[in-house]
């Protein structure tokens, strides 16, 4: 079966660092995506990992360990506009995206 | 700017009254997807078109249908909406189907069923 787990909510202060973990068990694996979704808006693409290791893109970094079925999204120098839901999504054998339920990040002043 | 457009952004319908949601794209992508997303839940894939080839998910109710008259447009028809169909409906596109293809989402249509 398909199972993608991520924490429901995380709170951090402006300027801090937050790490959002995602574990997965899926039928096949063709990479893992992270999307950002502000309330009432569409998900927007943040990152894609298909090989093990860390991908850095400005304030956001994403890590993947295929053997552990584990990924994390690291948000640095948090800003108020980073308050959003962060969705982990696995690209399965058929090229479809299997989404987690999302982690709501709340950034406080 | 190339984009995915959904109309309307908000749709109110009555229980049992057919409703159509529309999606268009200027990305010239081959694949178009429809997702249903309920509050605090993961987006759930309903179906997708690979060019003109329609692919239904096994657990998508028969109440949901789709049409893709050309590359740019795709429609979601809900034949007899129930209260449980109230949700955000997201349209997405990708250049091709398969591993590593990024999906680009429209702003969504929020459906309310009275």
């Amino acid at each position: 079966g398909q199972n993608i787990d991520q924490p429901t909510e995380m709170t951090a202060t402006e300027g801090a660092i937050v790490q959002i973990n995602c574990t997965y068990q899926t039928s096949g694996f063709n990479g893992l995506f992270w999307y950002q979704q502000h309330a009432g808006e569409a998900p927007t693409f943040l990152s894609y990992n298909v090989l093990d290791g860390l991908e850095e893109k400005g304030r956001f970094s994403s890590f993947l360990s295929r053997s552990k079925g584990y990924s994390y999204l690291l948000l640095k120098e948090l800003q108020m506009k980073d308050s959003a839901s962060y969705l982990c999504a696995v690209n399965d054998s058929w090229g479809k995206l299997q989404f987690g339920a999302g982690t709501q990040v709340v950034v406080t002043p | 700017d190339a984009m995915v457009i959904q109309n309307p952004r908000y749709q109110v319908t009555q229980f049992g009254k057919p409703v159509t949601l529309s999606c268009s794209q200027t990305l010239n992508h081959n694949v178009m997807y429809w997702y249903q997303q309920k509050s605090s839940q993961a987006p759930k894939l309903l179906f997708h078109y690979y060019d003109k080839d329609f692919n239904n998910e096994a657990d998508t109710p028969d109440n949901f249908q789709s049409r893709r008259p050309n590359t740019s447009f795709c429609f979601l028809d809900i034949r007899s909406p129930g209260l449980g169909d109230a949700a955000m409906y997201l349209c997405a596109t990708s250049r091709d189907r398969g591993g590593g293809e990024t999906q680009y989402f429209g702003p969504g249509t929020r459906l309310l069923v009275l």
Side-chain angles (χ1 to χ4, degrees):
Chain A
Q2 320 279 21
N3 203 32
I4 301 174
D5 288 318
Q6 47 183 134
T8 303
E9 185 172 311
M10 303 182 75
T11 300
T13 53
E14 216 173 351
I17 298 173
V18 69
Q19 178 175 313
I20 306 168
N21 296 324
C22 172
T23 58
Y24 62 89
Q25 289 178 302
T26 56
S27 303
F29 181 82
N30 266 320
L32 187 144
F33 289 85
W34 283 96
Y35 281 84
Q36 179 192 60
Q37 187 177 26
H38 285 100
E41 297 182 13
T44 55
F45 169 76
L46 289 178
S47 68
Y48 172 68
N49 293 67
V50 66
L51 299 177
D52 290 350
L54 186 69
E55 295 274 346
E56 297 190 76
K57 198 183 287 188
R59 293 190 298 114
F60 294 1
S61 303
S62 56
F63 172 84
L64 176 68
S65 169
R66 289 171 297 171
S67 62
K68 294 182 180 176
Y70 168 69
S71 173
Y72 67 73
L73 181 69
L74 194 69
L75 314 182
K76 294 179 277 189
E77 300 168 22
L78 276 175
Q79 301 175 9
M80 297 299 291
K81 67 178 181 180
D82 298 330
S83 291
S85 183
Y86 291 84
L87 300 166
C88 170
V90 172
N91 208 183
D92 69 15
S93 301
W94 295 275
K96 298 178 188 176
L97 285 183
Q98 305 290 341
F99 282 91
T103 298
Q104 185 67 42
V105 170
V106 178
V107 181
T108 59
Chain B
D1 285 341
M3 56 176 57
V4 182
I5 302 159
Q6 290 188 245
N7 286 305
R9 294 292 309 275
Y10 299 90
Q11 176 74 58
V12 181
T13 191
Q14 292 178 330
F15 183 93
K17 185 175 181 182
V19 66
T20 295
L21 310 181
S22 72
C23 176
S24 63
Q25 53 124 343
T26 60
L27 296 159
N28 203 31
H29 282 175
N30 284 323
V31 194
M32 294 187 79
Y33 307 81
W34 279 104
Y35 289 86
Q36 179 193 64
Q37 187 180 26
K38 296 186 177 180
S39 183
S40 301
Q41 294 185 23
K44 178 182 180 301
L45 182 64
L46 297 173
F47 24 61
H48 75 276
Y49 273 94
Y50 180 66
D51 195 11
K52 296 178 183 177
D53 182 29
F54 176 70
N55 297 269
N56 200 31
E57 292 302 295
D59 57 355
T60 298
D62 292 340
N63 198 25
F64 292 87
Q65 304 285 321
S66 185
R67 296 170 282 135
R68 189 179 186 186
N70 54 52
T71 301
S72 301
F73 284 87
C74 196
F75 299 98
L76 170 62
D77 300 308
I78 309 177
R79 294 193 294 191
S80 182
L83 298 179
D85 297 327
M88 174 77 90
Y89 289 87
L90 296 166
C91 174
T93 73
S94 64
R95 185 179 53 87
D96 206 338
R97 188 173 56 183
E101 291 290 339
T102 301
Q103 292 186 24
Y104 297 91
F105 286 82
T109 295
R110 184 166 294 281
L111 179 68
L112 181 62
V113 181
L114 300 178

